[in-house]
Amino acid sequence: MTTEWTGARVQPRPSLANQVMADLRQAIASGAFGTNGQLPSEPALSQQLGVSRPTVREAIAVLEQEGLVIRRHGLGTFVMSAVVELPNILNVNTGITDMIRSAGKDPGARKATVSTMAADERIAGQLGIMPGTSVGVIERTRTADDQPVALTRDFVRLDHLSSHGLLPERLQSFVGGADSLYSYLSSIGVAVTYGVAKVLPARATAELAEALELKPDADLLLLEQTDYNSAGAPLLFSEEYLVPGPLTIYVFRRGPG
């Protein structure tokens, strides 16, 4: 049985496989592949999307690594429904805005600030720059249905901003809202290809407790992540302090063996 899906035609661009992945992720999330969850064949997807078969194959291979699809020999490629139905899974590089929306809540932001600072050794190491180099810092208290659920700090390499004609002060108009930083960077031509995350336990300091409306020393989840472009150059380093409960995190684990 062949499943038909009419997707948006992908325009040729350097990150064509990434765009195909994004289109397929959206189609999978919306249930576009029917009740049996079978994707069209590679030739059919290639024709429908207007891209080459190797591009489709590359996109599907990544989705398989993320646990969103599984290839069954002689049968085809199928959606992994148990994984797709998870609201927030670290296998897919999504930001806080999308995490809040996937939980069925309305994202917002409070006390958003933009500043610059001299990178210490830790931040410089994450961003691949010399200590003391100036970096942009975006700090926001993120809300879900007007309730604080996370405090995020994004440390951005200023050379990547300036090379695309963006000065740090122009970020001020952006960070006051709940828009995704990934989407904003993409709109100015700065594409995040992948991220490496570390999940740690944390306690609410007095500053965090006030911002997140918690008691001091309350339990938090700290997500530290460095995001990279297609050339493997670090673009930004993020610290995300999450309130457990409102934003449950899942991880897909393949195996054993």
Side-chain angles (χ1 to χ4, degrees), residues 92-108:
V92 180
N93 194 11
T94 57
I96 295 292
T97 300
D98 289 332
M99 291 172 64
I100 293 172
R101 288 197 177 110
S102 69
K105 300 180 183 296
D106 185 32

Side-chain angles (χ1 to χ4, degrees), residues 96-97 99-101 103 105-110 140-152 208 211-214 219-221 240-248:
I96 295 292
T97 300
M99 291 172 64
I100 293 172
R101 288 197 177 110
K105 300 180 183 296
D106 185 32
R110 299 180 186 172
R140 292 187 283 178
T141 299
R142 315 304 296 277
T143 62
D145 291 345
D146 291 327
Q147 295 299 312
V149 294
L151 186 140
T152 62
L208 288 169
L212 297 174
E213 298 179 3
L214 299 171
D219 291 330
L220 295 173
L221 192 64
E240 301 174 347
Y241 292 90
L242 310 179
V243 179
L247 295 180
T248 302

Side-chain angles (χ1 to χ4, degrees), residues 217-232:
D217 293 328
D219 291 330
L220 295 173
L221 192 64
L222 172 58
L223 184 65
E224 293 185 347
Q225 178 162 321
T226 303
D227 289 299
Y228 301 81
N229 64 16
S230 60

Side-chain angles (χ1 to χ4, degrees), residues 55-116:
T55 297
V56 170
R57 190 175 301 116
E58 179 183 351
I60 291 177
V62 175
L63 295 178
E64 186 176 27
Q65 287 298 316
E66 293 176 352
L68 296 181
V69 300
I70 184 171
R71 283 185 273 202
R72 298 174 182 164
H73 183 68
L75 296 176
T77 303
F78 294 83
V79 174
M80 293 276 284
S81 299
V83 177
V84 172
E85 292 170 0
L86 296 175
N88 290 312
I89 183 165
L90 287 184
N91 305 62
V92 180
N93 194 11
T94 57
I96 295 292
T97 300
D98 289 332
M99 291 172 64
I100 293 172
R101 288 197 177 110
S102 69
K105 300 180 183 296
D106 185 32
R110 299 180 186 172
K111 300 178 181 177
T113 62
V114 176
S115 60
T116 59

Side-chain angles (χ1 to χ4, degrees), residues 3-232:
T3 304
E4 291 295 332
W5 171 59
T6 303
R9 189 177 181 85
V10 179
Q11 299 299 320
R13 64 187 71 180
S15 57
L16 190 55
N18 288 337
Q19 184 61 48
V20 171
M21 281 187 283
D23 287 349
L24 290 176
R25 284 193 196 102
Q26 183 177 4
I28 290 170
S30 66
F33 297 119
T35 55
N36 67 342
Q38 183 176 7
L39 274 65
S41 66
E42 287 183 6
L45 279 175
S46 174
Q47 183 177 14
Q48 292 171 23
L49 293 171
V51 299
S52 68
R53 288 183 63 180
T55 297
V56 170
R57 190 175 301 116
E58 179 183 351
I60 291 177
V62 175
L63 295 178
E64 186 176 27
Q65 287 298 316
E66 293 176 352
L68 296 181
V69 300
I70 184 171
R71 283 185 273 202
R72 298 174 182 164
H73 183 68
L75 296 176
T77 303
F78 294 83
V79 174
M80 293 276 284
S81 299
V83 177
V84 172
E85 292 170 0
L86 296 175
N88 290 312
I89 183 165
L90 287 184
N91 305 62
V92 180
N93 194 11
T94 57
I96 295 292
T97 300
D98 289 332
M99 291 172 64
I100 293 172
R101 288 197 177 110
S102 69
K105 300 180 183 296
D106 185 32
R110 299 180 186 172
K111 300 178 181 177
T113 62
V114 176
S115 60
T116 59
M117 62 170 282
D120 59 21
E121 289 190 4
R122 183 176 72 97
I123 294 173
Q126 294 291 338
L127 293 177
I129 56 179
M130 293 295 295
T133 303
S134 184
V135 296
V137 185
I138 304 167
E139 181 171 316
R140 292 187 283 178
T141 299
R142 315 304 296 277
T143 62
D145 291 345
D146 291 327
Q147 295 299 312
V149 294
L151 186 140
T152 62
R153 296 190 186 104
D154 299 298
F155 303 91
V156 187
R157 283 183 53 164
L158 294 180
D159 55 343
H160 287 301
L161 296 181
S162 59
S163 66
H164 287 78
L166 181 66
L167 299 177
E169 52 266 26
R170 291 182 58 190
L171 282 172
Q172 188 67 53
S173 60
F174 156 73
V175 299
D179 294 338
S180 166
L181 179 57
Y182 290 154
S183 297
Y184 184 73
L185 292 176
S186 178
S187 72
I188 63 170
V190 180
V192 173
T193 302
Y194 66 95
V196 178
K198 179 166 60 174
V199 182
L200 302 166
R203 296 279 188 181
T205 62
E207 176 189 7
L208 288 169
E210 180 180 2
L212 297 174
E213 298 179 3
L214 299 171
K215 294 180 179 180
D217 293 328
D219 291 330
L220 295 173
L221 192 64
L222 172 58
L223 184 65
E224 293 185 347
Q225 178 162 321
T226 303
D227 289 299
Y228 301 81
N229 64 16
S230 60

